Amino acid sequence: MNIVDEVFQRADRKAVALIAGERTLTFGELESAMEAAAGQLIAAGLPRREPGRVPRIGLACPNSVEHVILALAVLSSGGCLVPVAGELAAPEREAVLRTVGVDALILSDKLPWPERHHSCNRAVHLPGLCATLFPDVRGESRSDDEPLRFDEGELARVDPAFIRFSSGTTGEAKGVVLSHATLFARVESANRRLGIGPEDRVVWILSMAHHFAVSIMLYLLKGAATVIVPSHLAEDVLGDGIRHHGTVLYGSPFHHALLAAEPSGRPWPGLRLAVSTAAPLPLATAEAFDRRFGTPLSQGLGLIEAGMPFLNTTASREKPGSVGRPSGDATAELRDVETGLPVGPCETGELYLRCEGMLDAYLSPWRRREAILAPGGWFRTGDLARFDADGDLHLMGRVKTVINVAGMKCFPEEVEIVLQGCPGVSAVKVHGREHPRFGSVPVAEIVPAGDPPAISGLIAACRGALAAYKIPVDFKFVRELPRTASGKIRR
């Protein structure tokens, strides 16, 4: 199957598919634009699929109508799409091209990469698409003595649609391979929780390079309109949301905090669902957003390996810190990290998941789904979580980031939520530091919002909310925190 065929076989061609500022495309217009783009790319030298080999096509393009058109053109032409985030540093993006063995690169005119524009490789400018095609980058990006860590035939047998790299917050990023069939199953699975349909207009502010494979494809497959907002300014997001009758907002806690603080007091009529993802949702942000718009934030758990198996739609106002309950095809278990045995009620354990749309493979080194999943088809997430008495799931942190203080577990994210709610704190990272008596102790790095807050006030806030052993023993004020390409704090 080809997932693009599924989009346009289902689409009402007169319905609106994309909105960006004053520009609107119906599904019929989007299909025509995609077909024209595919023709231009092929004429310019875009590699074609062959028996036993699927070309990997890199796409570096900011959020825009052109991003959607180009992505669909690559997929419809039989290529495997490899999103390359524009915010990556030159060594990071070249590493993506090299690891995947990218055959060609489509580079937006809005993302000038000097190392590409001065490349000796043949380049073809596509003025109608505001992009340049580099049709033969593979030979340049890899040396002869650096073989690929996967077999071309094995990859082709998967029928890959996307290869996307995880954020790499705690280690080397993985190339996650999704086939056309898996992507379709994942969209269907996620929408059992989202409930998006043709009547919806989804206001989009996250990075397409990180979320296109499921989110944008889901909206297209379900006949919804996507409102692309190029600005992160709250007044622009709210203005476009109101002007284009947005019904669904999909963003991160950062975006929601900005919207909650937007000073105009304008209501957002028709906003039925506001999804928070990509980072833990602070309680203060959830409460402020709900007060401002009268719509609770629904926190979701999104994984590149598994899609969105959790979304809190049943208790979003009462428990904004929860990601909800398993529903539909999603099931979950919590297991002891060391023994692998199920933990008791309300106890913390590692989250194991089963749902439709699990990844097909890790690319480099190559591992098929069967070798990745635990017995019974469970995916070991590396997340620590607990179910409360009602069965709602609360994420507690990552297995690799837990701080063991004299045999007691301290979850950095738990401490960060408390500190993030303190006046004068813009961003915070808590991590462990070795200690001769306790093994490790928590310490905090804080980006102040203006003048640094008093440490005594930070300690008092922690004492009021946390056990004594979880209170950081040291507070360091820094100008910024290292982050991944998707904006998460790098652990």
Side-chain angles (χ1 to χ4, degrees), residues 53 93 145 197 247 326 350 414 486:
R53 191 179 190 287
R93 60 201 184 210
D145 58 352
T247 61
E350 183 177 0
E414 183 181 17
S486 60

Side-chain angles (χ1 to χ4, degrees), residues 402-467:
V402 172
I403 305 168
N404 286 295
V405 184
M408 297 178 289
K409 290 181 172 58
C410 171
F411 306 110
E413 293 85 351
E414 183 181 17
V415 185
E416 289 168 358
I417 288 174
V418 174
L419 292 173
Q420 189 71 62
C422 294
V425 174
S426 174
V428 60
K429 172 185 175 183
V430 174
H431 58 93
R433 187 169 71 193
E434 290 187 9
H435 190 276
R437 289 180 57 193
F438 300 116
S440 59
V441 291
V443 297
E445 294 180 72
I446 293 174
V447 178
D451 294 331
I455 292 178
S456 60
L458 300 176
I459 294 174
C462 290
R463 282 178 177 163
L466 302 168

